[in-house]
Amino acid sequence: MGRAPCCDKANVKKGPWSPEEDARLKAYIEEHGTGGNWIALPQKIGLKRCGKSCRLRWLNYLRPNIKHGGFSEEEDNIICNLYISIGSRWSIIAAQLPGRTDNDIKNYWNTRLKKKLLGRRKQSNINRSPSGQSEDHLKDAEDAHALSSSALERLQLHMQLQSLQNPFSFYNTPALWPKLHPLQEKMIQTLRSMNDQNCNPLMHHHALSSPHQTVEGHKSNSDVYEQLQPTSASIRIQEEYAKLCNPKNMDELENALNGMSCSDAAYHAFISTSNQVDSTIVVTEAADGMEHSNDAGTHDHQQVNSSFQTEFGDILSNKSVAYTPQQEDDQIAEFDCFKEMNGPKDSLVWWANEFDAKSASSNSWDSTSVLQSQGMFQDYELRYNL
DNA sequence: AACTCTACCAACCGCGTGTTG
DNA sequence: CCAACACGCGGTTGGTAGAGT
């Protein structure tokens, strides 16, 4: 038994809005407001539209001061930075761009910005397949290609950018890592092998990383996640974070974390550590009491951040980077483990969404709290000179 | 000119959450 | 406390315009 429909689907018009409908809706709202009830609104106006449809039309199109298209480079930067840090929280991102709607930004990201960052795949694997391959192989290539355009792409971009930019992100905090399905572990291992081949320039920075210890109690996961941790400095501050949480041991920490949702844990980890990022890496390294993180690893990270910043800016401004779509195709083709997944790509959405998108915890963050708490947005301004 | 492919974007759908009685 | 309802969000779909063949 599902939810009752919000309106009588049979008597509701769908599809594009006519100018007359627009005019009626606009005139009514401008004169009376929405009345706090979108469901009842279309009946009041005499529109055969679903209330949700009216709301969407008003918010995305009819509302005053809406801007369409023509995104500036500054807006590109803001969108990218916020996407990297909080994931696909379009409403939050839109709240930082006056006149822009979440739908607009979402479309813009999916159709242009993401491609700008990841590069384009002009050729499918089929074209590069050696002759004599079975149809099954061709279909696999197609499946992998389709997958790459959604979950995998977001996963790669998000993980690469975030692990470089924020060593305290969920990816770099073993205490926050969930237990993985064996196939998911295999997927990460495949990513590792890709990274080992230096397939993506953004991952080259990991070559600077030094080996490090892993956190007890998460060994199986940490083995697979290990690659994603950029610097030994980050590990040390992870330990600092554990101290801040003040458990007697990691089991306690784990218990504590188990008591909170993954998203809460990640969120608090981010908030807790972001101040340290500000004080030790971005703003100054001379602060007293933080010597423990002002070691060579921190300098490494500064270099990484600096290099990343330059590279990121280059990408956004369409400058050349040592990355080719062809290489990405090669990477995608290696994801044989996807074939083993029972479900369609949706089963992988956990990958792309659960980690950092959840770390933003849309339900607990509104557009105000996100940016006010810890001045996150200002942090990004500092780093990328927006 | 006709057809196919691609990019774009408006709109829809389903789900999670907050509110209310 | 619970169920019903409304809202808001994010993912997805479908239509269309333009480019390419």
Side-chain angles (χ1 to χ4, degrees):
Chain A
M1 222 179 103
R3 160 193 294 274
C6 63
C7 55
D8 182 4
K9 304 274 183 188
N11 293 320
V12 161
K13 186 184 170 190
K14 289 171 151 188
W17 281 64
S18 67
E20 292 76 23
E21 289 175 312
D22 281 347
R24 285 170 87 168
L25 180 62
K26 193 164 187 236
Y28 182 88
I29 294 180
E30 282 177 348
E31 189 173 352
H32 302 99
T34 64
N37 189 343
W38 284 106
I39 301 297
L41 194 142
Q43 293 170 345
K44 291 179 189 170
I45 318 175
L47 284 178
K48 288 190 173 180
R49 289 278 181 178
C50 173
K52 290 172 79 170
S53 181
C54 292
R55 173 185 162 271
L56 213 59
R57 185 64 179 171
W58 170 256
L59 291 178
N60 289 340
Y61 198 83
L62 299 175
R63 192 161 45 115
N65 303 321
I66 290 289
K67 285 189 282 184
H68 291 286
F71 281 81
S72 68
E73 197 168 322
E74 184 182 3
E75 287 175 314
D76 286 1
N77 278 320
I78 293 173
I79 294 168
C80 288
N81 288 332
L82 286 175
Y83 182 88
I84 289 162
S85 65
I86 65 175
S88 55
R89 302 295 176 211
W90 304 118
S91 59
I92 296 173
I93 296 172
Q96 310 312 315
L97 299 172
R100 301 294 186 186
T101 69
D102 54 353
N103 207 37
D104 230 14
I105 294 169
K106 179 173 60 183
N107 285 332
Y108 181 58
W109 170 265
N110 285 330
T111 58
R112 300 190 202 180
L113 262 187
K114 186 171 68 178
K115 292 171 186 171
K116 206 167 167 181
L117 287 169
L118 284 172
R120 287 182 172 182
R121 252 174 258 104
K122 289 292 186 187
Q123 293 291 323
S124 72
N125 291 321
I126 300 173
N127 293 342
R128 291 181 294 103
S129 297
S131 59
Q133 269 194 324
S134 69
E135 286 192 5
D136 281 350
H137 277 86
L138 293 178
K139 187 176 186 310
D140 290 342
E142 287 175 349
D143 290 346
H145 183 266
L147 174 68
S148 70
S149 66
S150 55
L152 179 61
E153 229 165 38
R154 276 189 57 197
L155 169 68
Q156 281 188 272
L157 174 68
H158 205 167
M159 285 169 55
Q160 290 165 3
L161 298 187
Q162 178 132 14
S163 61
L164 284 170
Q165 180 191 37
N166 179 10
F168 319 106
S169 72
F170 180 80
Y171 305 122
N172 303 314
T173 311
L176 305 178
W177 297 339
K179 301 297 181 191
L180 297 182
H181 186 282
L183 290 176
Q184 290 166 336
E185 291 186 5
K186 185 177 178 182
M187 195 159 117
I188 297 177
Q189 285 170 336
T190 309
L191 272 176
R192 284 184 63 174
S193 67
M194 284 161 40
N195 294 336
D196 289 344
Q197 294 164 10
N198 292 331
C199 291
N200 189 319
L202 290 174
M203 297 303 288
H204 288 184
H205 299 303
H206 286 297
L208 298 171
S209 306
S210 55
H212 57 76
Q213 66 198 36
T214 56
V215 178
E216 292 298 321
H218 299 270
K219 191 167 183 57
S220 62
N221 278 350
S222 61
D223 285 346
V224 251
Y225 282 111
E226 189 175 14
Q227 162 71 22
L228 303 175
Q229 303 178 66
T231 68
S232 57
S234 67
I235 297 304
R236 300 178 77 159
I237 302 186
Q238 286 166 22
E239 292 166 357
E240 282 304 309
Y241 172 63
K243 290 176 186 173
L244 285 173
C245 291
N246 209 17
K248 289 177 182 173
N249 53 45
M250 288 309 294
D251 286 340
E252 286 187 16
L253 173 60
E254 186 171 27
N255 289 337
L257 290 168
N258 287 340
M260 28 189 339
S261 69
C262 175
S263 56
D264 287 344
Y267 166 70
H268 289 303
F270 174 81
I271 291 303
S272 172
T273 53
S274 62
N275 280 340
Q276 298 180 36
V277 176
D278 296 342
S279 59
T280 64
I281 296 174
V282 177
V283 178
T284 175
E285 59 178 289
D288 292 341
M290 296 298 288
E291 295 92 338
H292 51 273
S293 58
N294 277 335
D295 56 9
T298 303
H299 288 291
D300 278 352
H301 184 72
Q302 283 179 304
Q303 291 168 1
V304 165
N305 261 353
S306 173
S307 174
F308 169 72
Q309 179 178 343
T310 303
E311 193 165 47
F312 187 57
D314 287 350
I315 293 171
L316 286 177
S317 56
N318 283 325
K319 292 179 187 171
S320 63
V321 291
Y323 172 77
T324 65
Q326 185 79 25
Q327 288 173 327
E328 189 178 344
D329 279 348
D330 293 336
Q331 298 167 21
I332 302 306
E334 293 179 17
F335 275 79
D336 289 337
C337 61
F338 294 143
K339 290 184 288 189
E340 300 175 42
M341 295 292 196
N342 289 329
K345 61 181 180 180
D346 283 353
S347 64
L348 295 171
V349 166
W350 174 86
W351 256 81
N353 290 344
E354 196 71 12
F355 283 141
D356 269 26
K358 291 267 178 167
S359 75
S361 185
S362 68
N363 303 324
S364 55
W365 289 22
D366 59 22
S367 57
T368 304
S369 63
V370 165
L371 298 178
Q372 285 183 346
S373 65
Q374 311 305 320
M376 184 181 79
F377 184 61
Q378 286 79 359
D379 294 348
Y380 285 103
E381 282 184 318
L382 264 177
R383 289 179 206 175
Y384 296 130
N385 301 318
L386 289 177

